[in-house]
């Protein structure tokens, strides 16, 4: 390296290079930078104006600067570092920041300018970490080439951001993070419009908390990944697929998550790609992505239209993989036939988490064999000699079947109309009554049964009188089960089912002979309406008041009417009068759900 240039001349050349940038015709800048008698930590300032008049009223602000010249054999490519003493950082901090310029100088006199905007938040972090904690004497900073932007832009961004970072606010932030109404992420150097500054992973960002008109600097950050969601058309030779796509970009790779199920990872440096099915999501999803995977594994070129991105032909070493995917697709096509038999929506979510693919597939295979091939070797059922309703679980999908050990087709859709033709009965004492077989469905099946057909259940209750006195407790218990199931699933059809059944109860005004059954049905009808519509009418509130007045000796009726009348204190006091066993009983009833919401 040549060393025949004095330090003084290096500094003069460096200052002259910065001034030359300030004096460009397009810049609205005046550089007041000393070339000889330098100040402590600062070499001068750059004035920034609104227009070319350079008048007092057009001045936007001043940017403190320090300029360093350094002799090099060749210019640095990309970014470069420069060491500074901690005392300099402290002086910069006390002056609300600085723009540092390091000018590389060849022995020919050619120059290349690098810059670093040092704002109070970053300066405070440097001083605290490396000065106060690690007790270091100096710390290097990373500078970017000025050629990727302009001196005018560097100075304007510095002024804009420095106003948002007064040291007193950094040291005495009066707010907690949950008090801010929104957050803002800004960068002094990131500019997606220019190729040189468009790589978001190479830039520093400041996170601001915003409260009213105040911006509070909270954290310095680097972006490690960026995610975008979009509708995408993917083309493979002559095939086109419409996908919901989430693309996550990281410094060295792109991750494509297709339909929240299939993940493709593309390594930017070596162009390698691998894939995994993270979760099944739904049958509809698999019927879309498995054919696409078959195309991919078959070596077809993959083109993402909106992203203008192409995967080259993929070479798969595992020769058996293509055959496995074809078998997998065949299995899903068979499951599609099963869902059609059961009237299950193909978009129903399996609810599986990452890594549960094999677990779900292992549940699908036996189901397909049982329903389509009458192969029951893997059917596990308690008391296999007794006909009954039984559930089959695939992830979160609950399928309800009727099991008949005497039939060749042992499992049929529990809501097949064939069941309506069967003579279902309940025996009470020495009497037998026709009844709906669906009274055997538990709360979970009602809430989560993917193939449940409410119209079939309603029709089954249309075939008899469900409120014959002996049947009343059974019918009321089933309706309460429907309301409870609604409270965990929010399926409005469950309330409509219970309402349909209660509407079969005689509606004639009871006069003075108000029966306990009438009170129960009235309360339950009204709690159904409260759930459906969010409020009751004045006439219905009056009906509840009349019931309460009539039932002064009925503590349980008093409690239920108080809950529906939203008499919080009264309901609470009455509930406390129940014996512990009765409190426990009521905790399982739907009225208790309304009571808990009332007192919370």
């Amino acid at each position: 390296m040549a060393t025949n240039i004095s330090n003084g001349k290096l500094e003069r050349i460096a200052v002259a290079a910065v001034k030359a940038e300030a004096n460009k015709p397009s810049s609205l800048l005046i550089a007041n930078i000393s070339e000889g008698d330098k100040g402590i930590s600062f070499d001068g300032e750059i004035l920034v104006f609104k227009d070319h008049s350079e008048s007092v009223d057009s001045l936007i602000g001043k940017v403190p600067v320090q300029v360093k010249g350094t002799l090099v054999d060749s210019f640095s490519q990309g970014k470069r570092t420069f060491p500074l003493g901690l005392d300099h950082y402290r002086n910069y901090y006390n002056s609300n920041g600085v723009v540092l310029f390091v000018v590389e100088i060849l022995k020919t006199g050619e120059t290349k300018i690098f810059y670093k905007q040092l704002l109070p938040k970053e300066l405070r972090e440097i001083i605290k970490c490396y000065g106060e904690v690690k007790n270091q004497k100096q710390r290097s900073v990373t500078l970017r080439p000025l050629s990727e932007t302009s001196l005018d832009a560097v100075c304007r961004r510095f002024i804009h951001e420095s106003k948002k970072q007064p040291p007193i606010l950094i040291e005495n932030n009066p707010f907690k993070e949950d008090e801010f109404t929104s957050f803002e992420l800004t960068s002094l150097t990131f500019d997606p419009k220019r190729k040189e500054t468009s790589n978001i992973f190479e830039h520093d960002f400041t996170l601001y908390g915003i409260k009213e008109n105040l911006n509070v600097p909270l954290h310095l950050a680097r972006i490690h990944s960026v995610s975008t969601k979009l509708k995408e058309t993917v083309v493979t030779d002559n095939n086109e697929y419409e996908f919901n796509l989430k693309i996550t970009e990281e410094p060295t790779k792109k991750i494509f998550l297709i339909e929240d199920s299939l993940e493709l990872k593309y390594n930017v440096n070596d162009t390698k790609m691998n894939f995994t099915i993270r979760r099944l999501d739904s049958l509809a999803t698999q019927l879309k992505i498995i054919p696409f995977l078959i195309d991919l594994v078959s070596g077809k070129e993959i083109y993402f239209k909106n992203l203008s991105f192409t995967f080259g032909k993929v070479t798969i070493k595992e020769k058996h993989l293509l055959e496995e995917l074809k078998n997998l697709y065949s299995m899903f096509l068979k499951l599609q036939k099963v869902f059609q038999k059961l009237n299950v929506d193909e978009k129903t979510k399996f609810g599986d988490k990452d890594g549960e693919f094999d677990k779900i597939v292992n549940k699908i295979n036996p189901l397909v064999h049982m329903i389509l091939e009458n192969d029951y070797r893997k059917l596990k059922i308690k008391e296999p000699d007794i006909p009954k309703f039984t559930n089959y679980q695939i992830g979160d999908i609950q399928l309800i079947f009727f099991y008949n050990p005497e039939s060749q087709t042992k499992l049929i859709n529990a809501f097949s109309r064939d069941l309506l033709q069967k003579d279902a009965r309940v025996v009470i004492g020495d009497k037998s009554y026709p009844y709906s077989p669906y009274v055997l469905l538990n709360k979970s099946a009602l809430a989560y049964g993917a193939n449940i057909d409410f119209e079939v259940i309603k029709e089954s209750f249309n075939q008899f009188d469900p409120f014959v006195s002996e049947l009343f407790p059974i019918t009321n218990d089933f309706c309460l089960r429907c309301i409870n199931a609604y409270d965990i699933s929010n399926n409005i059809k469950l309330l409509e089912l219970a309402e349909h059944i209660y509407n079969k109860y005689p509606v004639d005004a009871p006069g003075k002979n108000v029966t306990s059954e009438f009170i129960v049905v009235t309360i339950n009808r009204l709690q159904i309406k409260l759930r459906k519509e969010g409020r009751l009418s004045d006439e219905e509130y009056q009906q509840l008041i009349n019931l309460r007045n009539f039932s002064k000796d009925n503590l349980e009726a008093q409690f239920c009417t108080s809950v529906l009348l939203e008499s919080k204190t009264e309901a609470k006091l009455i509930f406390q009068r129940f014996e512990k066993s009765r409190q426990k009983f009521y905790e399982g009833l739907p009225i208790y759900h309304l009571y808990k919401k009332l007192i919370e």
Side-chain angles (χ1 to χ4, degrees):
M1 178 182 292
T3 57
N4 57 348
I5 302 179
S6 68
N7 289 336
K9 181 169 283 190
L10 287 175
E11 295 302 323
R12 290 193 297 273
I13 295 172
V15 170
V18 175
K19 283 185 174 181
E21 289 290 326
N23 289 329
K24 284 184 175 180
S26 60
S27 292
L28 303 176
L29 308 172
I30 295 178
N32 295 327
I33 306 173
S34 172
E35 295 182 3
D37 186 17
K38 301 235 176 182
I40 298 176
S41 299
F42 299 94
D43 296 327
E45 63 191 15
I46 296 177
L47 307 182
V48 183
F49 295 91
K50 296 178 184 177
D51 52 46
H52 287 286
S53 69
E54 297 181 357
S55 60
V56 173
D57 61 351
S58 72
L59 180 66
I60 294 175
K62 301 177 181 181
V63 178
V65 300
Q66 184 168 33
V67 181
K68 297 289 186 181
T70 181
L71 190 65
V72 296
D73 287 330
S74 60
F75 292 137
S76 300
Q77 299 303 310
K79 296 174 285 187
R80 65 154 294 156
T81 59
F82 192 83
L84 287 168
L86 264 294
D87 287 339
H88 285 302
Y89 290 114
R90 295 185 182 95
N91 291 336
Y92 299 154
Y93 179 69
N94 292 333
S95 297
N96 214 48
V98 71
V99 176
L100 172 67
F101 296 101
V102 173
V103 182
E104 293 185 345
I105 305 166
L106 300 180
K107 60 183 178 182
T108 61
E110 294 176 79
T111 60
K112 182 174 182 178
I113 303 173
F114 294 80
Y115 75 98
K116 171 66 176 177
Q117 298 138 310
L118 286 163
L119 291 174
K121 181 62 178 177
E122 182 176 5
L123 289 166
R124 181 62 191 136
E125 293 295 323
I126 292 172
I127 294 166
K128 185 176 180 181
C129 179
Y130 299 101
E132 297 173 4
V133 177
K134 297 185 178 181
N135 201 29
Q136 294 181 2
K137 298 301 181 184
Q138 68 175 23
R139 174 68 182 171
S140 291
V141 290
T142 301
L143 300 94
R144 303 187 68 89
L146 187 63
S147 58
E148 66 184 19
T149 180
S150 69
L151 182 60
D152 195 271
V154 168
C155 293
R156 290 178 188 279
R157 285 188 174 187
F158 176 87
I159 290 174
H160 180 264
E161 288 297 308
S162 63
K163 291 177 180 178
K164 293 154 58 176
Q165 296 191 18
I168 190 170
L169 192 59
I170 292 171
E171 295 182 17
N172 302 285
N173 177 7
F175 306 111
K176 296 179 180 178
E177 290 198 12
D178 58 5
E179 295 181 57
F180 294 109
T181 54
S182 61
F183 295 89
E184 180 183 60
L185 202 61
T186 67
S187 173
L188 289 163
T189 57
F190 174 62
D191 183 358
K193 296 177 182 178
R194 295 176 65 103
K195 182 179 179 180
E196 304 94 323
T197 57
S198 61
N199 188 339
I200 196 171
F201 305 112
E202 294 181 350
H203 299 269
D204 296 313
F205 288 81
T206 302
L207 177 68
Y208 290 93
I210 300 175
K211 188 173 177 63
E212 298 177 355
N213 294 323
L214 183 65
N215 290 50
V216 180
L218 300 176
H219 306 288
L220 300 176
R222 273 291 179 107
I223 304 297
H224 294 289
S225 66
V226 177
S227 295
T228 306
K229 291 184 178 181
L230 69 154
K231 298 277 188 181
E232 180 60 288
T233 301
V234 183
V235 182
T236 66
D237 288 357
N238 296 323
N239 296 326
E240 280 197 4
Y241 303 90
E242 299 295 329
F243 287 137
N244 291 307
L245 177 66
K246 177 182 177 183
I247 178 170
T248 300
E249 295 190 61
E250 297 179 3
T252 61
K253 62 185 173 185
K254 296 177 186 287
I255 302 172
F256 300 82
L257 183 59
I258 298 175
E259 295 291 335
D260 203 31
S261 173
L262 173 64
E263 182 179 80
L264 305 177
K265 287 186 179 180
Y266 178 78
N267 193 305
V268 175
N269 295 330
D270 59 16
T271 67
K272 287 185 178 179
M273 190 273 290
N274 58 61
F275 69 86
T276 181
I277 300 178
R278 284 176 46 176
R279 61 182 71 88
L280 287 169
D281 188 64
S282 68
L283 173 60
T285 295
Q286 295 310 306
L287 292 175
K288 289 174 70 174
I289 69 167
I290 299 298
F292 166 73
L293 260 182
I294 291 172
D295 282 352
L296 179 68
V297 172
S298 298
K300 296 180 180 179
E301 189 173 81
I302 310 296
Y303 175 62
F304 291 78
K305 271 190 175 180
N306 294 330
L307 295 172
S308 298
F309 184 83
T310 301
F311 279 137
K313 294 183 179 181
V314 177
T315 302
I316 302 295
K317 295 180 180 179
E318 298 86 352
K319 301 299 182 183
H320 62 278
L321 184 57
L322 180 59
E323 194 62 31
E324 288 181 358
L325 287 172
K326 289 179 178 179
N327 290 337
L328 191 63
Y329 186 56
S330 175
M331 183 198 70
F332 284 121
L333 288 175
K334 291 176 181 178
L335 181 62
Q336 184 181 41
K337 291 181 180 179
V338 173
F339 275 20
Q340 289 169 351
K341 278 177 168 282
L342 300 176
N343 295 316
V344 176
D345 188 344
E346 292 177 8
K347 295 180 180 178
T348 305
K349 303 290 185 182
F350 288 110
D352 57 322
K353 301 178 179 60
D354 286 3
E356 294 186 347
F357 180 87
D358 289 340
K359 178 181 176 182
I360 301 295
V361 168
N362 288 338
K363 292 289 290 184
I364 293 173
N365 260 316
L367 175 68
V368 166
H369 291 306
M370 286 188 285
I371 304 305
L372 300 184
E373 301 168 14
N374 286 338
D375 181 355
Y376 301 103
R377 285 175 294 178
K378 293 189 177 181
L379 176 62
K380 295 179 181 178
I381 194 165
K382 292 181 179 179
E383 300 177 318
D385 297 331
I386 302 175
K388 66 188 73 177
F389 288 112
T390 185
N391 298 349
Y392 193 90
Q393 198 89 17
I394 309 175
D396 287 347
I397 296 179
Q398 192 172 143
L399 303 174
I400 307 170
F401 294 96
F402 182 74
Y403 169 74
N404 185 356
E406 303 299 326
S407 173
Q408 181 181 356
T409 305
K410 298 185 186 303
L411 290 181
I412 64 168
N413 183 2
F415 304 96
S416 166
R417 292 190 174 272
D418 291 344
L419 279 181
L420 294 178
Q421 310 304 319
K422 297 185 180 297
D423 184 23
R425 308 182 74 84
V426 296
V427 177
I428 302 174
D430 57 353
K431 292 185 178 180
S432 171
Y433 300 88
Y435 207 80
S436 167
Y438 299 109
V439 72
L440 299 174
L441 294 176
N442 59 32
K443 179 173 65 176
S444 175
L446 287 166
Y448 299 120
N451 60 319
I452 194 167
D453 189 328
F454 291 97
E455 295 307 313
V456 169
I457 300 177
K458 288 179 184 177
E459 193 171 334
S460 74
F461 275 89
N462 292 341
Q463 297 176 353
F464 63 97
D465 181 359
F467 288 105
V468 172
S469 58
E470 290 86 348
L471 298 178
F472 183 92
I474 300 173
T475 301
N476 186 58
D477 181 67
F478 179 76
C479 291
L480 293 176
R481 209 178 309 152
C482 291
I483 303 172
N484 271 336
Y486 166 80
D487 286 338
I488 62 175
S489 68
N490 287 319
N491 186 347
I492 194 71
K493 291 182 179 180
L494 287 159
L495 295 182
E496 293 171 349
L497 172 58
E499 194 172 46
H500 174 83
I501 296 171
Y502 277 131
N503 284 342
K504 296 181 178 299
Y505 187 84
V507 294
D508 294 338
K512 295 182 180 180
N513 299 317
V514 176
T515 64
S516 59
E517 287 84 0
F518 177 82
I519 295 173
V520 167
V521 171
T522 301
I523 286 171
N524 291 338
R525 275 176 172 167
L526 292 178
Q527 68 166 315
I528 288 172
K529 183 176 181 183
L530 186 60
R531 283 171 167 83
K532 287 177 68 177
E533 301 180 14
R535 67 179 308 279
L536 301 177
S537 66
D538 291 344
E539 181 181 344
E540 287 162 337
Y541 281 125
Q542 185 59 56
Q543 188 178 8
L544 284 167
I545 292 171
N546 294 340
L547 274 183
R548 183 175 64 180
N549 293 337
F550 183 83
S551 310
K552 291 181 179 179
D553 296 329
N554 186 335
L555 197 62
E556 296 183 19
Q558 291 283 312
F559 169 70
C560 294
T561 53
S562 295
V563 170
L564 294 175
L565 288 167
E566 299 181 46
S567 301
K568 177 178 176 179
T569 302
E570 185 178 44
K572 195 171 184 179
L573 291 172
I574 294 173
F575 188 76
Q576 290 172 352
R577 291 173 61 189
F578 286 168
E579 293 181 0
K580 293 294 183 183
S581 60
R582 207 58 185 164
Q583 287 183 356
K584 192 70 176 175
F585 170 75
Y586 263 82
E587 287 174 5
L589 298 181
I591 195 68
Y592 186 78
H593 180 81
L594 298 180
Y595 170 65
K596 289 294 289 183
K597 288 176 65 175
L598 178 65
I599 65 173
E600 285 176 353

